[in-house]
Amino acid sequence: MKLQRKNRLRALSLGAVAVSGALALTACGSDDNGGGSGSSTSSASANASSIKCDNAKGQLLADGSSAQKNAIDAWVKNFSQACGVQINYKGSGSGAGVTAFTQGQIAFAGSDSALKPEEVTASKKVCSGGQGIDLPMVGGAIAIGYNVPGVDNLVLDAPTLAKIFDSKITNWNDAAIKKLNPSAKLPNLKIQAFHRSDESGTTDNLTKYLIATTPSNWKYSGGKAWQAKGGQSAPQSAGVAQQVKQTSGAIGYFELSYVSDGIKAASIDTGASKPVAPSTESATADIAAAKVVGTGSDLSLQLDYKTKAEGAYPISLVTYEIACDKGNKADTLPATKAFLRYIASEDGQKLLSTIDYAPVPDEIIAKVRTTVEGLS
């Protein structure tokens, strides 16, 4: 990944933290800034030419997926500057976000996994006359990041990856890794495998990939909580990435935007003519084949983890923003709706590819935009 792109991402993230976390920005809440004078269109930064604020004001609390945290931070920076709304998105993980949403603590949640039936039932208690729905907003590749001295172009496949994360392959010069990387100088070095310590949709998507592609080597039921034996853990995508960066022999998984200096990303042998590296383009190629399986206003998707399409990266995810279809709190509905409208807009989606995320396919994001307009 190019250093220039990473510097731009860090600048966006730092700017967003400054906007969303500083309660001292008193001017942000004023009606003069686009928040309270009826329907208005305000100028945003260079990444979003216009944002429709529509009476949005005050502040929003949100939590969830850390995989989309860098995207949310960039969106928050633009939206807060345009509309004067403070958005505090914690990024504590998909599990924490869904729990906070079903307990009525936040305006919306982010999750890399669609709501389960029991979570939809729980949401009806806080969505008066409605329920929580899944709105796909962010696509991306789950990178298999590694830190192995002297190895720049690692290739792995599903069986080998499963054995590494299940502590069945424990050294980097193992025969299975050598077979996939015949020209690499693999060191006699212990593998340090890192997984998420918190409930994570990123974990859920990775394990869905392993279950779908190599069930004989991954005999766990899957889900947001890590189930395999051994390994080491760290909280959130940023925590896993940091451990990989500072640990020789480490391997872990996190959204592509967390790959940085000191971390390289493995390519995956899918059975296509050549291994596929994680990128915005290769994730988009996989997500383009996703199918809407949600009913009513729910737009949850089914991804093809077993893809062998040329240039399609199979370990991809879609992050959903979860909101009430009906029964949103009156004091937060205008801001929630305006923010979701912006991130689903052409400007909002265009921003994603500049920071190593994948836009949601046109056909699907069009349905998201229609659904957002109907939130009440």
Side-chain angles (χ1 to χ4, degrees):
M1 183 171 300
K2 295 181 179 180
L3 184 58
Q4 183 179 6
R5 176 175 286 184
K6 298 310 298 179
N7 288 339
R8 183 170 67 249
L9 174 57
R10 292 189 186 100
L12 284 167
S13 298
L14 290 171
V17 170
V19 172
S20 62
L23 295 179
L25 296 175
T26 55
C28 286
S30 69
D31 290 347
D32 293 338
N33 211 14
S37 55
S39 178
S40 63
T41 302
S42 303
S43 296
S45 70
N47 285 316
S49 60
S50 64
I51 295 175
K52 190 176 182 181
C53 299
D54 272 0
N55 296 312
K57 57 185 177 181
Q59 59 180 307
L60 290 180
L61 298 179
D63 197 3
S65 165
S66 64
Q68 70 164 1
K69 181 70 163 61
N70 292 329
I72 290 287
D73 283 351
W75 279 329
V76 164
K77 180 177 184 290
N78 291 342
F79 184 78
S80 295
Q81 287 177 347
C83 299
V85 176
Q86 300 170 35
I87 300 178
N88 182 0
Y89 182 84
K90 293 182 180 180
S92 301
S94 296
V98 171
T99 297
F101 177 76
T102 57
Q103 292 179 350
Q105 299 172 359
I106 55 178
F108 69 90
S111 176
D112 308 322
S113 300
L115 291 169
K116 297 177 180 179
E118 61 269 25
E119 293 168 340
V120 173
T121 299
S123 73
K124 293 179 180 180
K125 297 178 182 178
V126 296
C127 301
S128 180
Q131 65 182 46
I133 56 172
D134 301 288
L135 300 172
M137 292 288 192
V138 183
I142 300 174
I144 304 301
Y146 67 95
N147 177 0
V148 182
V151 180
D152 294 328
N153 298 295
L154 183 70
V155 174
L156 297 171
D157 60 10
T160 306
L161 195 60
K163 292 174 185 176
I164 287 173
F165 279 116
D166 199 24
S167 302
K168 301 291 177 57
I169 292 178
T170 59
N171 199 290
W172 280 109
N173 65 357
D174 186 274
I177 304 177
K178 282 184 176 181
K179 185 177 180 180
L180 291 165
N181 301 271
S183 62
K185 295 182 179 179
L186 296 165
N188 181 14
L189 179 65
K190 182 181 178 181
I191 293 174
Q192 306 282 352
F194 287 90
H195 57 264
R196 290 282 290 272
S197 59
D198 52 324
E199 289 200 355
S200 160
T202 310
T203 295
D204 192 18
N205 282 275
L206 172 66
T207 55
K208 281 179 179 175
Y209 162 74
L210 296 175
I211 291 167
T213 55
T214 184
S216 61
N217 292 300
W218 195 262
K219 299 182 179 181
Y220 303 98
S221 60
K224 294 177 183 176
W226 186 257
Q227 297 171 320
K229 305 295 188 288
Q232 302 173 68
S233 65
Q236 303 163 19
S237 292
V240 175
Q242 181 60 33
Q243 289 299 322
V244 171
K245 183 175 182 177
Q246 67 187 23
T247 306
S248 180
I251 187 170
Y253 58 93
F254 29 78
E255 216 284 330
L256 181 61
S257 68
Y258 288 92
V259 175
S260 61
D261 298 336
I263 302 175
K264 295 180 176 67
S267 295
I268 302 299
D269 184 345
T270 65
S273 64
K274 60 181 180 180
V276 184
S279 68
T280 296
E281 294 76 18
S282 62
T284 299
D286 181 48
I287 295 168
K291 297 179 181 179
V292 176
V293 293
T295 58
S297 299
D298 186 86
L299 296 174
S300 56
L301 304 177
Q302 183 178 68
L303 300 176
D304 183 8
Y305 299 103
K306 299 171 72 173
T307 184
K308 294 183 180 180
E310 297 295 330
Y313 185 76
I315 320 176
S316 298
L317 59 77
V318 170
T319 294
Y320 303 96
E321 309 315 323
I322 296 170
C324 297
D325 56 355
K326 299 177 183 178
N328 288 278
K329 294 179 180 177
D331 58 338
T332 58
L333 175 61
T336 299
K337 197 168 178 177
F339 182 66
L340 296 180
R341 177 189 294 120
Y342 162 55
I343 69 178
S345 71
E346 184 176 350
D347 284 330
Q349 289 291 300
K350 278 183 177 178
L351 182 147
L352 291 174
S353 59
T354 70
I355 52 175
D356 296 307
Y357 289 94
V360 175
D362 290 344
E363 183 179 346
I364 296 171
I365 202 66
K367 295 178 180 179
V368 173
R369 290 167 186 156
T370 299
T371 302
V372 168
E373 294 305 321
L375 298 181
S376 63

